[in-house]
Amino acid sequence: MIRNRIALRALLASLGLVGPLAAQAPAAGYQQPPEPIRAILDATPTPAVVPSPDRTRLLLLERPGLPPISEVAAPYVPAAGLRLNPRTGFPTRVATFTGLRLLAVDGGAERPLALPAGARVTRPRFSPDGARLAFALVRDGGSVLALADAATGAVTVHERVVLNGALGEPCEWSGPVALTCRLVPADRGTEPVAPAAPAGPVVQESDGKKSAERTYQDLLRDSHDEARFAWHLTSQVARVSIDGRVTPLGAPDLVTQARPSPDGRWLLVSRIHRPFSYVVPLGRFPLRTDVWSADGAVVATIHDRPLELERSTAFDAVSPGPRGVDWRADAPATLAWVEALDGGNPATRAEQRDRVVTLAAPFSGRPTEHVRTATRVRDVTWIGATRAMVTEAWWKTQRTRSWLIDPSAPASAPRLLWDRSSEDAYGDPGDPVLVPNAAGEDVALTTPDGAAIYLTGTGASPEGDQPFVDRLDLATGRTTRLWRSQGAQYEEVVAVLDARGSRLLTRRETATEAPNYWVRDLVRRIAPRRLTSFTDPAPQFAGIRAELITYPRADGVQLSAKLYLPPGYDRARDGALPFLLWAYPEEFKSKEAAAQVRGSPHRFVRPGGASHLFLLTQGYGVLDGPTMPIVGEGDAEPNDSYVEQLTASAKAAVDELARRGVGDPARVAVGGHSYGAFMTANLLAHTSLFKAGIARSGAYNRTLTPFGFQQEERPYWQARDIYTKMSPFTYADSVKTPILLLHGMNDDNSGTFPIQSERFYAALKGNGATVRYVQLPGEAHGYLARESVGHTLWEMARWLDLYLKPKKVAMLGPR
């Protein structure tokens, strides 16, 4: 029978009715995407740009291209939710740069910083006075501190200052001529070796209390993991002068932060301690927060948080006790934090849920309470001695409020600035413009008389995003519009260059012009001055047509999307195109908010990574981000009608393409990543709208995420029918449309473990679906290696070619 089947296939191939076997089963190994995708992937990325603290310079950071799979798939240390590179002392995917240049805002030639040949460095941090930059030289065998002189470009590498970057940025400036760093202890010894034989069983038990947890990756598993975790995260706090002299402070410990006070006299130090856990990540481990003196002595203990095993999985749940402990940015040495008044549990009835307190040096008295809020404090912006902005929000109702308080008069009543829906993009007043003060701490930029601050925002509108800058009068709460992006361009404020708000640093782009940085003078109204000259990194995309479109859903909800047409497309000549819809559903509490337009038709779009927009180069149209709102008004939860709303949104999108005459409704594919992959599988299970699907790194069986997912708070046992109906795994026997599954084999995202795709593939295959399952070695939730990205794009283009551009009868054999 097998021999006859092969002979039949060979005969069909000779007649041109099917492709040869080799075409249906590509050779093992990574494949390259078609041109011009390959060339674009290998192009030099545009530099990132960071303003200096005084906004007189721009730091241009040259970025490397995609790393090789040998780097991405190298062994790592799983550390209670972290992934550490044992060779560098930093996380596995730390962002690094290969070149640094300084450019004066007022003009002049660029000044390169003299990095060592072949260096990879972390994002530099300016000293408070902007005279120097500190960064890590990331390399195998130990990463070290480097300092650059902003005036000369000279770089000094301190070879003996070996940094421990396992928990993020290891150094903070403590004044203009010294830093406080977390270093690798000099006597750390060798990494613990796994025992040749297990010491005994690994035991977990529960005492009958509810202890629900969402799914986590890279947790500790046994005593060896504990020892290795402690070895990698232990660091020595030290003061490091700019000439490289090191003064150790305290003993080595599992230090998560060592923050100098604005006046440099104290340190805020947080340390993890035992017992560790095998069921929650390190953010829930016991954590002691102390104030140290400048010589490393403990002055006061602010909080010693115990191991948190029983925190609610609700989105507004927080830790009991102090959280977010930090220095008050506008005071010499005052701590500020938030405390829950309801024990951190949203299910507890309470009129007031949080309070904001401060505690000044010498940290021996009772904290001063400044304000109590009805919901969770999300942010505190320090403005000055008599002004601060406190923002609270509640996820369940999507309400947010902002208040002005007077820190100098704790008994005074707060004054309400805004009370609004956090879903209302059109009504978003923006965020305060922050600038570093003399101590390097971020505070709100105020007018010279201190009477007003500045706000910037995206400026969502029915015509698309139009970024703006406003001045907010602190006495009246009224705003004055100073500037807004207008016309066929997208321009956003990067920095307000002076306290009068007269000059702006902006980043401007159009649909055909690459983003560049400009200086605008709002007083003299002269033509804006261009600072950078970045060019198109992918000129192969020139000629792509982009349009922000709106269209109705059957229930009256207005939807929107970005419609892309390939270069040179002519509707009269080329007719309706094969199309790819690439989307990601979102939940809303109101139809009005769901209908609001987000995005801009004037962005300069050039894809990177494994972007679906690359398929525009292969003759496909792309409907990017068609809104798929899942609305739950009143007491209804959005997911109560997830499938129905998702189906209605997809049908509206396909119908709109057909109505416009640009998309062939018989040749439309749907795709998405993560929750977009979940969406894709559901649409293929419940509709016949599409001819192919592409699902990357998704979750398909919600019983594997039983304590909530995405914005669903209810556990499985409270919403069995919802979990079942929303799981495309339940309907694997209904998937008749060809589907391509891709998944990183080291996916670290909560809820999208690789077993999701593995089991979904088995279910589809067992029910006779046409499915291809591609596993990417070494890749996490997002794909990073050049080989992985290229292969992913090759798979996507090939899949669409097979089912949206059929030239032959496609027969895929078993894999």
Side-chain angles (χ1 to χ4, degrees), residues 153-174:
V155 172
T156 302
V157 177
H158 295 293
E159 295 287 350
R160 296 185 179 181
V161 185
V162 183
L163 303 172
N164 189 336
L167 291 170
E169 177 57 50
C171 291
E172 295 205 33
W173 285 97
S174 183

Side-chain angles (χ1 to χ4, degrees), residues 62-128:
E62 296 172 7
R63 297 180 287 186
L66 295 169
I69 189 64
S70 59
E71 178 180 325
V72 172
Y76 65 87
V77 176
L82 297 178
R83 289 181 173 179
L84 305 179
N85 184 330
R87 303 176 308 281
T88 65
F90 276 81
T92 54
R93 293 197 171 198
V94 63
T96 58
F97 304 91
T98 56
L100 305 173
R101 293 173 283 153
L102 285 169
L103 175 65
V105 169
D106 288 336
E110 293 181 357
R111 175 177 292 112
L113 302 185
L115 297 179
R120 292 189 304 143
V121 303
T122 57
R123 180 178 294 247
R125 305 189 74 168
F126 280 95
S127 58

Side-chain angles (χ1 to χ4, degrees), residues 493-697:
V493 176
V494 176
V496 179
L497 295 177
D498 58 41
R500 294 187 301 126
S502 63
R503 298 170 71 227
L504 305 177
L505 174 68
T506 67
R507 182 179 183 271
R508 188 172 82 182
E509 62 192 271
T510 72
T512 58
E513 297 175 354
N516 274 287
Y517 290 78
W518 300 72
V519 173
R520 281 189 170 273
D521 192 314
L522 303 185
V523 173
R524 293 191 291 169
R525 303 288 180 181
I526 58 178
R529 179 167 52 86
R530 181 168 167 169
L531 295 178
T532 59
S533 299
F534 301 143
T535 58
D536 188 345
Q540 301 92 333
F541 265 75
I544 281 178
R545 291 168 51 193
E547 182 181 357
L548 188 61
I549 65 172
T550 59
Y551 50 96
R553 197 165 75 178
D555 60 359
V557 176
Q558 178 176 271
L559 306 178
S560 61
K562 195 78 171 288
L563 174 67
Y564 289 99
L565 298 171
Y569 170 74
D570 181 277
R571 187 174 66 176
R573 181 192 66 210
D574 303 321
L577 292 170
F579 248 84
L580 171 66
L581 272 66
W582 194 268
Y584 192 96
E586 292 188 65
E587 294 90 342
F588 294 90
K589 291 299 293 181
S590 74
K591 291 181 179 179
E592 292 76 19
Q596 291 184 346
V597 176
R598 293 162 174 84
S600 170
H602 308 306
R603 302 301 300 263
F604 181 80
V605 177
R606 294 296 182 267
S611 172
H612 52 284
L613 294 179
F614 277 115
L615 293 167
L616 287 162
T617 67
Q618 304 304 303
Y620 294 97
V622 175
L623 195 66
D624 188 31
T627 50
M628 301 277 179
I630 312 299
V631 183
E633 296 188 304
D635 294 332
E637 294 289 342
N639 287 336
D640 291 349
S641 55
Y642 172 87
V643 170
E644 294 81 2
Q645 294 193 62
L646 188 70
T647 299
S649 295
K651 184 178 187 305
V654 174
D655 288 348
E656 181 65 13
L657 291 176
R659 187 191 71 80
R660 290 173 173 265
V662 295
D664 179 354
R667 295 188 295 158
V668 180
V670 64
H673 189 94
S674 193
Y675 205 52
F678 175 73
M679 169 208 73
T680 297
N682 265 306
L683 287 173
L684 299 192
H686 296 288
T687 78
S688 56
L689 292 168
F690 304 100
K691 296 304 176 184
I694 299 173
R696 299 189 336 203
S697 298

Side-chain angles (χ1 to χ4, degrees), residues 76-83 204 213-222 225-226 228-229 277-285 753:
Y76 65 87
V77 176
L82 297 178
R83 289 181 173 179
Q204 298 183 42
E213 291 298 338
R214 296 203 174 210
T215 51
Y216 301 111
Q217 184 66 287
D218 298 312
L219 298 177
L220 302 182
R221 297 169 299 176
D222 52 34
D225 275 1
E226 289 193 50
R228 192 163 58 158
F229 168 82
S277 171
Y278 297 175
V279 296
V280 296
L282 67 87
R284 305 270 290 277
F285 285 11
F753 293 177

